[in-house]
Amino acid sequence: MSELNTFSIAARCPRTGQLGVAVASAVPAVGGLCPYIRAGIGAVTTQSWVNPYLAARILDGLAGGQGPDAALAAALATDDRPDLRQLGLVDARGTGAAWTGAGCTQAAGHRTGAGYAVQGNMLAGTGVIDAMAEAFAGSAACDLDERLMRALEAGDAAGGDKRGKQSAALRIVAGEDYPLLDLRVDEHAEPVAELRRVLAIARRQLVPFVAGMPRKHGPAGALPDDVVAMLLKAPAERPGAAADGGAADAPDLLRDVIGLRQEPGRVAHLLRQFAPVLAEIARLRDLDLADIHPPVVFDPTLPYRRGPHDDRRD
């Protein structure tokens, strides 16, 4: 039994019905043990002293018609150490539920809302959970992969796992028995930032491939010619690669753009202090102001235009 001191989010997209989990931790390969998703049923993350069988029992309960709270309670009733467990889940309707056992390493807690459950243990502070929930709620106009990624980034910026960083993962299931996305950073000094880079490449190289895969209730078909042509190229020659000016050669914002060279601990402290500001910026970035104020168009030719009476002579 492994203790995964972790912060995560399980969520559903109300537009597409997609289910997903994003998770990060200071242990390697967190994506291999925490997220469990079943298409059309629900998404579960199990952490702290991990018991994967609880996730399976919760999904079975949801599939059998139980609500999220009932499925969670029934699964925990089968466990001899529920005090050591932490779980978060959403069902196919987006109803969330969560559990944080009294024996989970502090700071620990959870928060549920419309379409999500956020949870974490051995955190730098409870602000990690609030930052994640607010980032997810504030990005409702985005696709699920982006909303999950922003939530994870907000948790990371708020301090994340108080021991440090090591791995991160993002998994999304749509209507098929295979994932739409299953991305993992198993060991990295900045796993959340690396996961963002991998996601940017996957959107341009992997997502088109998955879109052409056989469907459960449709013909097998074949990959589009443009996707085949792309995948026949070497990775460095594909869209999103470093040579294409994609995410692979994106500069480090603090070091390369701002010129701030600080010890990692100092940077983590500053990010924790400014986490509320970063969450508010993420929320404002997604606001549509068109209904509040009409767009202002500046036309530099206006002073030089001839009006209907410009030829009048006095």
Side-chain angles (χ1 to χ4, degrees):
M1 183 171 60
S2 300
E3 184 179 18
L4 295 188
N5 302 293
T6 301
F7 55 100
S8 67
I9 177 170
R12 176 186 179 271
C13 175
R15 291 183 292 105
T16 64
Q18 294 173 359
L19 296 161
V21 171
V23 57
S25 182
V27 298
V30 68
L33 288 175
C34 285
Y36 296 84
I37 310 175
R38 201 174 296 174
I41 302 299
V44 184
T45 177
T46 171
Q47 50 205 54
S48 188
W49 290 100
V50 170
N51 185 345
Y53 296 106
L54 294 179
R57 290 166 190 156
I58 288 170
L59 291 171
D60 288 342
L62 294 176
Q66 291 181 318
D69 287 326
L72 175 59
L76 287 169
T78 69
D79 190 11
D80 60 350
R81 293 304 305 270
D83 59 307
L84 297 179
R85 316 301 183 201
Q86 187 172 54
L87 298 115
L89 65 134
V90 292
D91 68 4
R93 293 179 293 275
T95 305
W99 166 265
T100 301
C104 293
T105 307
Q106 298 298 314
H110 58 260
R111 177 172 164 181
T112 61
Y116 72 86
V118 171
Q119 44 285 319
N121 62 90
M122 198 178 268
L123 301 174
T126 55
V128 173
I129 294 170
D130 291 335
M132 293 178 69
E134 289 161 12
F136 183 80
S139 56
C142 300
D143 291 336
L144 185 59
D145 63 339
E146 182 64 22
R147 298 184 73 188
L148 292 174
M149 193 68 239
R150 290 190 187 186
L152 210 60
E153 288 170 332
D156 192 46
D161 188 319
K162 66 183 179 184
R163 297 167 301 170
K165 311 175 183 183
Q166 195 166 10
S167 67
L170 188 156
R171 182 180 298 173
I172 294 176
V173 170
E176 305 301 323
D177 293 336
Y178 54 81
L180 182 69
L181 275 176
D182 191 359
L183 308 179
R184 291 170 47 171
V185 176
D186 283 345
E187 211 289 326
H188 197 278
E190 293 291 340
V192 174
E194 177 67 3
L195 185 64
R196 165 65 79 177
R197 186 189 71 84
V198 173
L199 174 59
I201 295 173
R203 283 169 171 166
R204 302 188 68 182
Q205 298 183 20
L206 180 63
V207 171
F209 177 80
V210 175
M213 289 172 60
R215 297 290 186 258
K216 184 164 46 178
H217 300 299
L223 283 173
D225 291 342
D226 59 335
V227 176
V228 173
M230 174 190 67
L231 295 177
L232 287 175
K233 296 178 180 178
E237 299 173 355
R238 296 176 192 160
D244 185 48
D249 61 351
D252 181 284
L253 179 61
L254 291 175
R255 185 189 67 236
D256 301 329
V257 178
I258 301 177
L260 179 63
R261 288 170 172 80
Q262 295 280 358
E263 291 297 320
R266 175 62 177 166
V267 173
H269 170 74
L270 292 172
L271 289 174
R272 284 196 297 271
Q273 297 301 310
F274 285 95
V277 177
L278 296 172
E280 181 67 9
I281 290 172
R283 186 185 70 82
L284 293 174
R285 188 168 49 198
D286 293 315
L287 286 179
D288 185 357
L289 300 178
D291 294 334
I292 301 174
H293 192 289
V296 177
V297 179
F298 173 68
D299 185 352
T301 69
L302 190 60
Y304 305 102
R305 292 184 182 177
R306 296 173 63 87
H309 305 294
D310 286 353
D311 292 332
R312 184 180 60 194
R313 298 177 183 274
D314 294 328

